Amino acid sequence: MDTLRAIACFVRVVEAGSIAEGARQLGISSAAVSQSIARLETHLGVRLLSRTTRRMALTDSGTVYYERVKHIDRDIEQAHNAIASLQAAPRGRLRIASTSAFGRHVLAPLIPDFNAAYPHLTLELLTTDRSVNHIRETVDISIRIAPQLEDGLVARHIASIPFLFCASPAYLSRAGTPHAPEELKEHDCLAFRFPLDGRFLSWGFIRDGIRFEPDIRVAMISDDIDVLARMALADGGITRLAAFIAQPYLESGELVSLFEPGRDERVRAVSEPMDIYLCVGHRKDVTPKVRAFMDFLDGRLPPEWRSR
């Protein structure tokens, strides 16, 4: 019996929640997965899974066994990487999950250069604003904003990116230009809603060292920040955009930036920045390929964004 293969089938089925989904992720048939687990149970002399036509659950023995073997694949890969790092450049697959906007506007233009520097790596970029499970989705690195951080992840702060409040010249001509965050309650505001739990991404400001969130009048909502930018371009109201999204529109004059103390002496509050974190599932997951990407990103992010 191929014990490691059988263990891999067992772990994947447990984390996927069903034999069918585990088989799909492994790229083999459900029958093959069932047979591997059955052989493993025979070898151990215990039942690991309680299976019926409608549900599957771990037995007590299965729970104990899963806790002991769930990291075997990772440990083996780390052992291989440790040896490979002594002999060759990082290789294999590197799967990166990122918030949609940061992945689309920041990472996507940089990744070809990283790929050229490490030709033995195969890069996969997953862009999503939902919660990503590192183990279940075999993700090596996730790039997250502060509200997406979760217990159990190892998070490293890598950037503080300015948030800019923007509107089109036509909207401001029609509705007037606000000079303080408190005036936002008198304007049409275009807000971002997290797709996972329906929360709004709060509009935070700092004044005299104190953080506050002004009341706003939400006129339109989207779970895609680029959609909000398009709404603002269409004279829909005021929205808050990360600098890497807003800058091209500001330079072209299609949008105007608000609440900038250097431009308007009446403004005494500044927008709270967007903090970006690079996350791994465990400290042991900082393999040579992960370290290579971390070092690459450190060297390519704009200096003004760098973590303090």
Side-chain angles (χ1 to χ4, degrees), residues 31 47 49 74 76 83 85 91 96 103 122 141 180 220 246 256 280 286:
R47 176 72 71 179
L49 297 173
R74 187 191 70 190
I76 291 174
I83 295 172
S85 66
R91 61 182 64 244
I96 304 164
T122 300
I141 298 168
M220 287 178 270
V256 175
V280 294
V286 183

PDB file of all heavy atoms in Angstrom, residues 31 47 49 74 76 83 85 91 96 103 122 141 180 220 246 256 280 286:
ATOM      1  N   ALA A  31     -14.027   6.594  -6.625  1.00  0.00           N
ATOM      2  CA  ALA A  31     -13.791   5.193  -6.295  1.00  0.00           C
ATOM      3  C   ALA A  31     -12.351   4.969  -5.842  1.00  0.00           C
ATOM      4  O   ALA A  31     -12.086   4.234  -4.875  1.00  0.00           O
ATOM      5  CB  ALA A  31     -14.110   4.311  -7.495  1.00  0.00           C
ATOM      6  N   ARG A  47     -11.744   2.292  12.045  1.00  0.00           N
ATOM      7  CA  ARG A  47     -12.561   3.063  11.116  1.00  0.00           C
ATOM      8  C   ARG A  47     -12.239   4.543  11.303  1.00  0.00           C
ATOM      9  O   ARG A  47     -12.322   5.063  12.418  1.00  0.00           O
ATOM     10  CB  ARG A  47     -14.034   2.810  11.397  1.00  0.00           C
ATOM     11  CG  ARG A  47     -14.995   3.633  10.571  1.00  0.00           C
ATOM     12  CD  ARG A  47     -15.067   3.196   9.132  1.00  0.00           C
ATOM     13  NE  ARG A  47     -15.743   1.902   8.990  1.00  0.00           N
ATOM     14  CZ  ARG A  47     -15.944   1.327   7.824  1.00  0.00           C
ATOM     15  NH1 ARG A  47     -15.508   1.906   6.708  1.00  0.00           N
ATOM     16  NH2 ARG A  47     -16.552   0.163   7.757  1.00  0.00           N
ATOM     17  N   LEU A  49     -13.509   7.083   9.039  1.00  0.00           N
ATOM     18  CA  LEU A  49     -14.656   7.874   8.604  1.00  0.00           C
ATOM     19  C   LEU A  49     -15.933   7.074   8.762  1.00  0.00           C
ATOM     20  O   LEU A  49     -15.979   5.888   8.449  1.00  0.00           O
ATOM     21  CB  LEU A  49     -14.506   8.296   7.138  1.00  0.00           C
ATOM     22  CG  LEU A  49     -13.337   9.210   6.780  1.00  0.00           C
ATOM     23  CD1 LEU A  49     -13.250   9.384   5.272  1.00  0.00           C
ATOM     24  CD2 LEU A  49     -13.502  10.570   7.450  1.00  0.00           C
ATOM     25  N   ARG A  74       2.680  19.014   3.807  1.00  0.00           N
ATOM     26  CA  ARG A  74       3.449  20.249   3.956  1.00  0.00           C
ATOM     27  C   ARG A  74       4.847  19.970   4.478  1.00  0.00           C
ATOM     28  O   ARG A  74       5.837  20.544   4.002  1.00  0.00           O
ATOM     29  CB  ARG A  74       2.721  21.199   4.908  1.00  0.00           C
ATOM     30  CG  ARG A  74       3.357  22.584   5.002  1.00  0.00           C
ATOM     31  CD  ARG A  74       2.773  23.383   6.132  1.00  0.00           C
ATOM     32  NE  ARG A  74       3.184  22.833   7.417  1.00  0.00           N
ATOM     33  CZ  ARG A  74       2.670  23.203   8.591  1.00  0.00           C
ATOM     34  NH1 ARG A  74       1.715  24.090   8.633  1.00  0.00           N
ATOM     35  NH2 ARG A  74       3.113  22.659   9.714  1.00  0.00           N
ATOM     36  N   ILE A  76       6.595  17.236   4.157  1.00  0.00           N
ATOM     37  CA  ILE A  76       7.398  16.600   3.101  1.00  0.00           C
ATOM     38  C   ILE A  76       7.863  17.641   2.094  1.00  0.00           C
ATOM     39  O   ILE A  76       9.032  17.645   1.677  1.00  0.00           O
ATOM     40  CB  ILE A  76       6.589  15.486   2.417  1.00  0.00           C
ATOM     41  CG1 ILE A  76       6.388  14.311   3.390  1.00  0.00           C
ATOM     42  CG2 ILE A  76       7.293  15.010   1.144  1.00  0.00           C
ATOM     43  CD1 ILE A  76       5.477  13.233   2.857  1.00  0.00           C
ATOM     44  N   ILE A  83      16.142  20.780   0.915  1.00  0.00           N
ATOM     45  CA  ILE A  83      17.233  20.178   0.140  1.00  0.00           C
ATOM     46  C   ILE A  83      17.440  20.933  -1.164  1.00  0.00           C
ATOM     47  O   ILE A  83      18.570  21.237  -1.561  1.00  0.00           O
ATOM     48  CB  ILE A  83      16.919  18.695  -0.139  1.00  0.00           C
ATOM     49  CG1 ILE A  83      16.892  17.909   1.179  1.00  0.00           C
ATOM     50  CG2 ILE A  83      17.947  18.097  -1.082  1.00  0.00           C
ATOM     51  CD1 ILE A  83      16.403  16.494   1.026  1.00  0.00           C
ATOM     52  N   SER A  85      16.813  23.974  -1.824  1.00  0.00           N
ATOM     53  CA  SER A  85      17.376  25.314  -1.643  1.00  0.00           C
ATOM     54  C   SER A  85      18.895  25.289  -1.556  1.00  0.00           C
ATOM     55  O   SER A  85      19.553  26.301  -1.798  1.00  0.00           O
ATOM     56  CB  SER A  85      16.792  25.954  -0.375  1.00  0.00           C
ATOM     57  OG  SER A  85      17.217  25.252   0.781  1.00  0.00           O
ATOM     58  N   ARG A  91      11.639  26.411  -6.954  1.00  0.00           N
ATOM     59  CA  ARG A  91      10.928  25.755  -8.044  1.00  0.00           C
ATOM     60  C   ARG A  91       9.597  25.213  -7.544  1.00  0.00           C
ATOM     61  O   ARG A  91       9.324  25.206  -6.353  1.00  0.00           O
ATOM     62  CB  ARG A  91      11.772  24.620  -8.623  1.00  0.00           C
ATOM     63  CG  ARG A  91      12.109  23.507  -7.633  1.00  0.00           C
ATOM     64  CD  ARG A  91      13.002  22.448  -8.286  1.00  0.00           C
ATOM     65  NE  ARG A  91      14.293  22.999  -8.668  1.00  0.00           N
ATOM     66  CZ  ARG A  91      14.726  23.086  -9.941  1.00  0.00           C
ATOM     67  NH1 ARG A  91      13.979  22.624 -10.917  1.00  0.00           N
ATOM     68  NH2 ARG A  91      15.906  23.600 -10.204  1.00  0.00           N
ATOM     69  N   ILE A  96      -0.695  32.312  -5.078  1.00  0.00           N
ATOM     70  CA  ILE A  96      -0.861  33.549  -4.326  1.00  0.00           C
ATOM     71  C   ILE A  96      -2.321  33.975  -4.404  1.00  0.00           C
ATOM     72  O   ILE A  96      -2.895  34.044  -5.495  1.00  0.00           O
ATOM     73  CB  ILE A  96       0.027  34.671  -4.909  1.00  0.00           C
ATOM     74  CG1 ILE A  96       1.496  34.230  -4.935  1.00  0.00           C
ATOM     75  CG2 ILE A  96      -0.147  35.959  -4.128  1.00  0.00           C
ATOM     76  CD1 ILE A  96       2.359  35.089  -5.832  1.00  0.00           C
ATOM     77  N   GLY A 103      -4.480  42.687  -6.340  1.00  0.00           N
ATOM     78  CA  GLY A 103      -4.003  41.698  -7.302  1.00  0.00           C
ATOM     79  C   GLY A 103      -4.051  42.201  -8.718  1.00  0.00           C
ATOM     80  O   GLY A 103      -3.123  41.998  -9.508  1.00  0.00           O
ATOM     81  N   THR A 122       6.122  28.007 -11.198  1.00  0.00           N
ATOM     82  CA  THR A 122       4.861  28.228 -11.902  1.00  0.00           C
ATOM     83  C   THR A 122       3.977  29.074 -11.002  1.00  0.00           C
ATOM     84  O   THR A 122       3.671  28.679  -9.872  1.00  0.00           O
ATOM     85  CB  THR A 122       4.158  26.899 -12.218  1.00  0.00           C
ATOM     86  OG1 THR A 122       5.009  26.102 -13.035  1.00  0.00           O
ATOM     87  CG2 THR A 122       2.841  27.147 -12.948  1.00  0.00           C
ATOM     88  N   ILE A 141       0.626  31.967  -0.202  1.00  0.00           N
ATOM     89  CA  ILE A 141       0.663  33.337   0.303  1.00  0.00           C
ATOM     90  C   ILE A 141      -0.697  33.980   0.066  1.00  0.00           C
ATOM     91  O   ILE A 141      -1.296  33.786  -0.997  1.00  0.00           O
ATOM     92  CB  ILE A 141       1.727  34.180  -0.432  1.00  0.00           C
ATOM     93  CG1 ILE A 141       3.135  33.615  -0.224  1.00  0.00           C
ATOM     94  CG2 ILE A 141       1.685  35.638  -0.002  1.00  0.00           C
ATOM     95  CD1 ILE A 141       4.159  34.241  -1.151  1.00  0.00           C
ATOM     96  N   ALA A 180     -14.675  69.132   4.770  1.00  0.00           N
ATOM     97  CA  ALA A 180     -14.474  68.397   6.019  1.00  0.00           C
ATOM     98  C   ALA A 180     -15.241  67.082   5.920  1.00  0.00           C
ATOM     99  O   ALA A 180     -16.297  67.011   5.280  1.00  0.00           O
ATOM    100  CB  ALA A 180     -14.959  69.207   7.214  1.00  0.00           C
ATOM    101  N   MET A 220     -24.870  54.579  -3.418  1.00  0.00           N
ATOM    102  CA  MET A 220     -24.681  53.382  -4.228  1.00  0.00           C
ATOM    103  C   MET A 220     -23.638  52.496  -3.567  1.00  0.00           C
ATOM    104  O   MET A 220     -22.738  52.991  -2.876  1.00  0.00           O
ATOM    105  CB  MET A 220     -24.257  53.741  -5.659  1.00  0.00           C
ATOM    106  CG  MET A 220     -25.384  54.324  -6.505  1.00  0.00           C
ATOM    107  SD  MET A 220     -24.857  54.812  -8.172  1.00  0.00           S
ATOM    108  CE  MET A 220     -24.375  56.521  -7.861  1.00  0.00           C
ATOM    109  N   ALA A 246      -6.803  55.272  -7.978  1.00  0.00           N
ATOM    110  CA  ALA A 246      -7.204  56.663  -8.217  1.00  0.00           C
ATOM    111  C   ALA A 246      -6.220  57.457  -9.050  1.00  0.00           C
ATOM    112  O   ALA A 246      -6.628  58.323  -9.844  1.00  0.00           O
ATOM    113  CB  ALA A 246      -7.403  57.361  -6.864  1.00  0.00           C
ATOM    114  N   VAL A 256     -11.271  64.254  -9.121  1.00  0.00           N
ATOM    115  CA  VAL A 256     -10.626  65.261  -8.287  1.00  0.00           C
ATOM    116  C   VAL A 256     -10.493  64.675  -6.881  1.00  0.00           C
ATOM    117  O   VAL A 256     -11.422  64.057  -6.357  1.00  0.00           O
ATOM    118  CB  VAL A 256     -11.456  66.556  -8.245  1.00  0.00           C
ATOM    119  CG1 VAL A 256     -10.843  67.557  -7.264  1.00  0.00           C
ATOM    120  CG2 VAL A 256     -11.570  67.160  -9.634  1.00  0.00           C
ATOM    121  N   VAL A 280       0.982  33.969   5.678  1.00  0.00           N
ATOM    122  CA  VAL A 280       1.204  32.537   5.445  1.00  0.00           C
ATOM    123  C   VAL A 280       0.458  31.778   6.540  1.00  0.00           C
ATOM    124  O   VAL A 280       0.101  32.343   7.577  1.00  0.00           O
ATOM    125  CB  VAL A 280       2.700  32.165   5.443  1.00  0.00           C
ATOM    126  CG1 VAL A 280       3.417  32.814   4.263  1.00  0.00           C
ATOM    127  CG2 VAL A 280       3.364  32.559   6.764  1.00  0.00           C
ATOM    128  N   VAL A 286       7.213  29.494   5.292  1.00  0.00           N
ATOM    129  CA  VAL A 286       8.086  30.440   4.592  1.00  0.00           C
ATOM    130  C   VAL A 286       9.203  29.627   3.931  1.00  0.00           C
ATOM    131  O   VAL A 286      10.338  29.560   4.400  1.00  0.00           O
ATOM    132  CB  VAL A 286       8.651  31.516   5.546  1.00  0.00           C
ATOM    133  CG1 VAL A 286       9.482  32.527   4.769  1.00  0.00           C
ATOM    134  CG2 VAL A 286       7.510  32.228   6.272  1.00  0.00           C
TER     135      VAL A 286
END
